[in-house]
Amino acid sequence: MASRLRPWMPCRPGRPGAATRAARTAPAALSLAVLLAAALAVLAAAGVQADTRLLSARVVTPDRLALRFSAPLERTDPANFRFTTAQAPDVPIAVTAVRRAAGDRVVLTLGQKLSGSEHYRLEIADPPLSRDVRPSTWALLITVLLSSALINNFVFTRYLGLCIFFGVSKKRDTSLGMGATFTMVMVFTGMVSWAIDSFVLRLLHLSFLQILVFIGTVAFVVQFLDTMLRKTHPGLHKRFGIYLMLITTNCIILAVPLLNAQGSAGPLESFALALGSGGGFALALFLMSCARERTELARVPAPFQGLPIAFALAGLFALAFMGFSGLDFFR
Amino acid sequence: MSAALRPLPKLGPAEILRIVASMTVACLAGAAMLGAVFMATDRYRAAAALRGERAAIRDMLALDSTATLVEVKQFLAPERRQVVYRAAPLGAEGAPGHEVTFTLDGRPAGERDVAGGTPLAAGLVPLGRMFVAKRAGVPAGFVVEGESRGFKKRIRMFVALRPDFSIADMRVIEHEEDPGLGAEVATPWFRGQFVDRSADEVAKLDVTKDPMPEDWRAALLAMAKRSPGGSARHAALLPRERAKPIYAVTGATISSRAVTDGVRATVDHFRRRWALLEPHLGGLR
Amino acid sequence: MSTVLLPGPAPTARQLILNGIFAENPVFRLALSLCPAVAVTTTVANGLLLGVAVLLVQVLSSVTVTLVRGFIHPRVRIPVYTIIIAVWVSAIDMTLAAFTPALYAQVGLYVKLIVAFAIIISRLEVFASRQPLVPSFFDGLGMGLGFLFALVVIGAMRELLGAGSLAGIPLAPGKPLLFFALPAGGFFSIALLMALFNWVERRTTGKSSAGGAGGTHGV
């Protein structure tokens, strides 16, 4: 969000007083022409004395920062730039070289390695400009989404929702319906509880009521979705309603608001975490149901029949999901 | 459970009222009880957290009871482009403290004594904490909180420094690395590798995937266990090892590198900040 | 879940406790509340802490339900049970956070999630809401002990194999089978222990009720 913030741009208004007076006295067509002229004059004035603006700043790993300006930058000596991490704004990172590139671009080489997922701040002395350098909103969203779906998969690395996971992963159809319903409920409860937590509980210092309030929220949202679905989409309700009633008190649903509260997540992160966790759970259910349909046909030793072999399968999936850990799109 | 699926008889308004009333009473009673439990336990939780922190600091710096601990909290004032340090005796609620302000470029911008419990100026963003151990008014060591981006989430650590900024000890206090792999960075043999390296050596510290020599590992474990002769074995091998990089945990090079980078940055930042702060914190005993 | 619900003379305290630990062990036999059984059992100490928390919540909730069930409207039975459990879980969560901060840091999230354990609410529904106070107390105690027993057994197995120690005391040099300390190892440990329970039962009773654990999933 903040990456979209443009540095404050000085913009001198033209002479609105004259323009409006002319518009009041002259006929409509003339007034329009005058207004147009005034607008053009403002634009021209701004163009003449427009400052150089910093259009974008992007980390190019391992140690470069690519900047794009609206006009050529005059001073390109390293002392003109100050680059710091958000964690240590008082300790600048050394700028070792500055290179001009085509199209009003400037590339800074820095004295230490940078990470595309960290937050930095760039300040320029002449002309006075500053900008937060951080991954874009989309990048953040996708990172949280994928990390909660794959790296920290609820089932295979956080071991949540196992009862329901082993309960409904016997058939592929059921698992798909369940996965979709779970994702929907998780997103809804995640957002509602986020709002309650940040606007009510935290402000009133009532965080000790978290569990009670979140459980209530889940029950309420499930009931609400059930009623809505029944009234608006009876067909869908017939298919998913049975799953809805099964979820009211389930640890996987409750874990989303608890994790968000623990990490003091913002609205966007909460949304991405809920969606990613739900998607990850659906993925786990689907994979597991495919594998379990096959073990039905396999010859399993008698003591292992039923749940034990399902647990062993889950163990194999967990082993495979370990491969996702360390996945980073910005490193 | 099957009872829930059967259609239930319609409820009259009186019944509904009774249900609503009983639910409300149940919720209120529950909330009241939780409030009571919260008030009863919160004091102990805060005290336990403080006790744990104090014990860790004393242990890392091998302090006796004559040393006093000062906690320095660092804040950023983004609009004013200033860094504010507030120092106060660790854990002494209501004790007077001292506040020092610098510009981002390190020029002094004011200092004042603050009474205990003085609220912070609005808009301050917390940056981190450091602890200064003093004996007879002279710094006996520092513990600095640092963090680094690990394999999964942030790794938080305490780095203990001697007055000459060599490393006295290091602890990983919070991490979410995989047990058995990345989580090994919190074990004594890994963190022991940092001990006794000078600040200049730390600034150039790198990580290697080479296997760790067995005698070095045994010496680090013996030192961590405080077994007799452990420190001597460590001291005997240190001249050979201090010029070498940190040996990474097998299968967890990224976590090992994250911790090493974190220690390096923590020490570097602290040295610069302390150079500014030192002349201003003389009054705190 | 049949033995204790049959009409007849009330079961004794000893029967109820043994029933909870072996015949209806919540993890190995009823296959309820599996999440923490994998999540927190990398060491014995973690398993013990969560086991104790569940034991307390189960006993306290069972007793509370038998005391207040006369006032509960049957229509809102389940929501009221949920509130009772949530209150006890919050209370125990805060107490553990205050007095065992080091262990709590590792299992905190799962302590909060006890509120969603199927085993607790199902015991309230099938037992505590119908039986007198004393048997309810012992049923809660038995179920809690069964859960504690399961967590400690899994924790011991994983700690011994994965870290070569038991309750923090090193027994073997190095890490014999690191795999068991990893997430995947938790699933395999439970698979092996469940199979063992099944095998022992087949041996002792002579009948093949294998997969008996597979049928009874709670919500």
Side-chain angles (χ1 to χ4, degrees):
Chain A
M1 288 154 283
S3 65
R4 300 256 171 82
L5 284 180
R6 293 265 160 75
W8 180 74
M9 191 189 101
C11 167
R12 194 171 292 164
R15 302 186 61 190
T20 43
R21 212 177 301 128
R24 225 179 283 128
T25 53
L30 188 66
S31 79
L32 200 70
V34 170
L35 266 179
L36 207 68
L40 277 176
V42 169
L43 274 182
V48 166
Q49 47 172 270
D51 285 309
T52 312
R53 283 182 301 132
L54 181 51
L55 297 177
S56 76
R58 194 167 52 86
V59 169
V60 187
T61 45
D63 61 349
R64 293 215 179 113
L65 186 72
L67 310 176
R68 196 156 65 81
F69 292 91
S70 61
L73 195 68
E74 280 171 28
R75 273 187 62 192
T76 53
D77 53 314
N80 194 24
F81 301 92
R82 188 171 190 279
F83 192 64
T84 53
T85 61
Q87 270 307 301
D90 50 338
V91 185
I93 298 171
V95 178
T96 53
V98 182
R99 185 169 58 80
R100 278 175 199 277
D104 301 335
R105 280 163 214 266
V106 172
V107 177
L108 307 188
T109 309
L110 295 145
Q112 76 178 53
K113 281 184 182 163
L114 305 180
S115 157
S117 50
E118 289 288 335
H119 294 191
Y120 299 96
R121 184 161 181 82
L122 174 74
E123 291 175 339
I124 300 173
D126 177 32
L129 293 171
S130 67
R131 187 188 181 95
D132 285 330
V133 182
R134 59 172 84 189
S136 71
T137 314
W138 280 109
L140 185 76
L141 203 80
I142 291 169
T143 312
V144 176
L145 201 74
L146 286 179
S147 117
S148 52
L150 300 177
I151 303 172
N152 287 316
N153 185 285
F154 263 22
V155 176
F156 294 132
T157 54
R158 282 196 202 267
Y159 332 94
L160 293 171
L162 292 187
C163 306
I164 205 116
F165 175 70
F166 287 109
V168 298
S169 62
K170 282 183 195 148
K171 289 228 166 56
R172 215 182 296 182
D173 298 344
T174 340
S175 77
L176 281 175
M178 200 72 187
T181 318
F182 259 90
T183 313
M184 186 172 73
V185 175
M186 277 159 97
V187 170
F188 270 89
T189 51
M191 294 320 290
V192 173
S193 342
W194 173 81
I196 294 179
D197 186 45
S198 36
F199 297 127
V200 181
L201 293 185
R202 267 166 211 250
L203 288 185
L204 300 178
H205 300 286
L206 289 176
S207 293
F208 59 86
L209 291 180
Q210 252 177 16
I211 302 176
L212 199 60
V213 170
F214 289 166
I215 271 274
T217 312
V218 174
F220 178 78
V221 168
V222 169
Q223 195 62 55
F224 175 77
L225 281 178
D226 186 59
T227 316
M228 284 292 290
L229 216 57
R230 192 190 331 223
K231 294 269 156 70
T232 57
H233 299 88
L236 269 180
H237 181 261
K238 216 169 180 182
R239 241 186 108 194
F240 293 123
I242 177 103
Y243 306 127
L244 262 179
M245 281 299 105
L246 286 173
I247 339 189
T248 312
T249 53
N250 194 284
C251 53
I252 193 162
I253 301 283
L254 199 63
V256 172
L258 285 175
L259 283 171
N260 279 334
Q262 205 176 41
S264 317
L268 217 66
E269 276 169 284
S270 300
F271 174 75
L273 184 91
L275 191 63
S277 309
F281 184 65
L283 176 71
L285 269 181
F286 179 71
L287 289 174
M288 189 67 180
S289 62
C290 294
R292 277 180 88 175
E293 282 185 354
R294 298 197 161 214
T295 55
E296 295 284 301
L297 305 173
R299 282 184 55 212
V300 177
F304 274 94
Q305 273 164 18
L307 269 188
I309 191 68
F311 262 93
L313 274 176
L316 288 176
F317 277 121
L319 210 55
F321 268 67
M322 262 186 76
F324 286 119
S325 82
L327 189 70
D328 190 342
F329 307 94
F330 305 102
R331 208 186 279 279
Chain B
M1 298 283 146
S2 61
L5 299 177
R6 242 179 281 133
L8 294 161
K10 278 261 179 213
L11 292 174
E15 286 260 80
I16 292 180
L17 206 67
R18 232 190 85 203
I19 290 177
V20 171
S22 64
M23 287 294 285
T24 316
V25 169
C27 285
L28 287 181
M33 198 193 125
L34 287 185
V37 174
F38 176 74
M39 283 196 268
T41 57
D42 194 50
R43 205 156 32 93
Y44 291 100
R45 191 189 51 74
L50 183 68
R51 221 175 22 246
E53 224 155 54
R54 199 191 300 247
I57 293 168
R58 287 192 185 280
D59 189 45
M60 289 171 82
L61 291 170
L63 296 173
D64 52 20
S65 55
T66 60
T68 55
L69 292 176
V70 177
E71 181 183 24
V72 184
K73 290 181 182 158
Q74 191 191 13
F75 301 91
L76 171 71
E79 285 89 37
R80 289 183 279 138
R81 289 177 46 81
Q82 284 176 339
V83 178
V84 179
Y85 295 89
R86 184 177 274 207
L90 175 60
E93 199 66 37
H98 196 65
E99 201 176 89
V100 191
T101 308
F102 295 95
T103 66
L104 279 186
D105 304 318
R107 281 190 304 278
E111 85 181 273
R112 60 177 181 141
D113 284 323
V114 287
T118 310
L120 288 161
L124 289 188
V125 183
L127 283 181
R129 296 184 304 163
M130 49 196 113
F131 306 91
V132 183
K134 291 197 166 188
R135 200 182 282 120
V138 183
F142 314 98
V143 172
V144 194
E145 200 181 46
E147 63 171 44
S148 177
R149 200 184 139 77
F151 199 43
K152 285 185 169 170
K153 290 248 165 106
R154 282 186 187 283
I155 301 178
R156 280 179 62 225
M157 58 194 105
F158 270 174
V159 182
L161 303 174
R162 301 205 182 85
D164 64 352
F165 305 115
S166 65
I167 294 187
D169 204 349
M170 195 280 281
R171 299 259 164 99
V172 173
I173 50 174
E174 199 183 307
H175 72 87
E176 263 187 49
E177 307 300 289
D178 291 320
L181 296 169
E184 292 283 296
V185 294
T187 53
W189 71 262
F190 183 80
R191 58 187 166 91
Q193 297 185 73
F194 293 93
V195 175
D196 283 339
R197 301 209 189 215
S198 74
D200 296 326
E201 283 162 356
V202 170
K204 295 196 266 315
L205 208 50
D206 200 5
V207 175
T208 175
K209 286 189 192 178
D210 293 345
M212 179 183 249
E214 277 311 312
D215 55 347
W216 181 229
R217 184 190 298 263
L220 290 175
L221 283 172
M223 182 178 70
K225 276 189 209 143
R226 310 254 156 92
S227 54
S231 299
R233 280 165 74 185
H234 177 256
L237 289 176
L238 191 63
R240 185 189 82 192
E241 296 292 338
R242 71 184 319 153
K244 292 186 185 164
I246 296 287
Y247 297 101
V249 176
T250 314
T253 315
I254 294 179
S255 307
S256 312
R257 198 174 287 279
V259 171
T260 310
D261 288 348
V263 170
R264 190 195 307 115
T266 305
V267 174
D268 176 52
H269 294 177
F270 177 71
R271 277 178 84 185
R272 295 167 189 235
R273 287 167 183 164
W274 184 247
L276 295 178
L277 267 180
E278 190 180 14
H280 301 277
L281 291 186
L284 276 181
R285 290 288 135 84
Chain C
M1 305 181 198
S2 54
T3 46
V4 285
L5 287 179
L6 288 176
T12 64
R14 189 164 163 271
Q15 277 173 340
L16 283 171
I17 291 178
L18 288 180
N19 174 57
I21 296 180
F22 297 107
E24 292 195 9
N25 185 295
V27 176
F28 297 129
R29 303 301 309 166
L30 299 186
L32 291 169
S33 315
L34 298 166
C35 322
V38 193
V40 301
T41 53
T42 43
T43 62
V44 174
N46 287 355
L48 197 66
L49 184 75
L50 199 82
V52 169
V54 170
L55 174 69
L56 289 174
V57 173
Q58 179 78 70
V59 170
L60 290 169
S61 309
S62 287
V63 169
T64 315
V65 164
T66 52
L67 290 179
V68 301
R69 66 184 171 205
F71 308 99
I72 303 175
H73 193 283
R75 263 294 185 70
V76 289
R77 197 174 66 243
I78 301 289
V80 172
Y81 293 167
T82 313
I83 293 174
I84 291 173
I85 298 173
V87 168
W88 282 119
V89 168
S90 308
I92 284 164
D93 178 65
M94 288 187 262
T95 314
L96 290 179
F99 295 106
T100 56
L103 277 177
Y104 179 82
Q106 296 179 42
V107 300
L109 178 66
Y110 296 94
V111 172
K112 289 195 170 84
L113 287 176
I114 293 177
V115 75
F117 275 17
I119 181 68
I120 293 174
I121 200 152
S122 81
R123 284 333 274 184
L124 297 188
E125 173 72 8
V126 303
F127 202 97
S129 62
R130 288 154 208 204
Q131 299 275 350
L133 179 65
V134 176
S136 298
F137 171 79
F138 282 111
D139 179 66
L141 193 65
M143 281 294 152
L145 282 176
F147 190 77
L148 181 70
F149 167 73
L151 285 196
V152 170
V153 167
I154 304 171
M157 173 172 165
R158 291 182 68 188
E159 192 179 340
L160 192 65
L161 293 175
S165 64
L166 203 58
I169 305 155
L171 296 177
K175 286 168 251 159
L177 285 167
L178 173 62
F179 172 73
F180 279 94
L182 295 177
F187 287 108
F188 276 102
S189 310
I190 295 190
L192 290 175
L193 286 170
M194 265 185 180
L196 184 73
F197 257 60
N198 283 345
W199 185 74
V200 168
E201 190 181 310
R202 282 159 60 89
R203 273 300 166 93
T204 49
T205 60
K207 54 186 178 178
S208 66
S209 69
T216 47
H217 296 290
V219 175

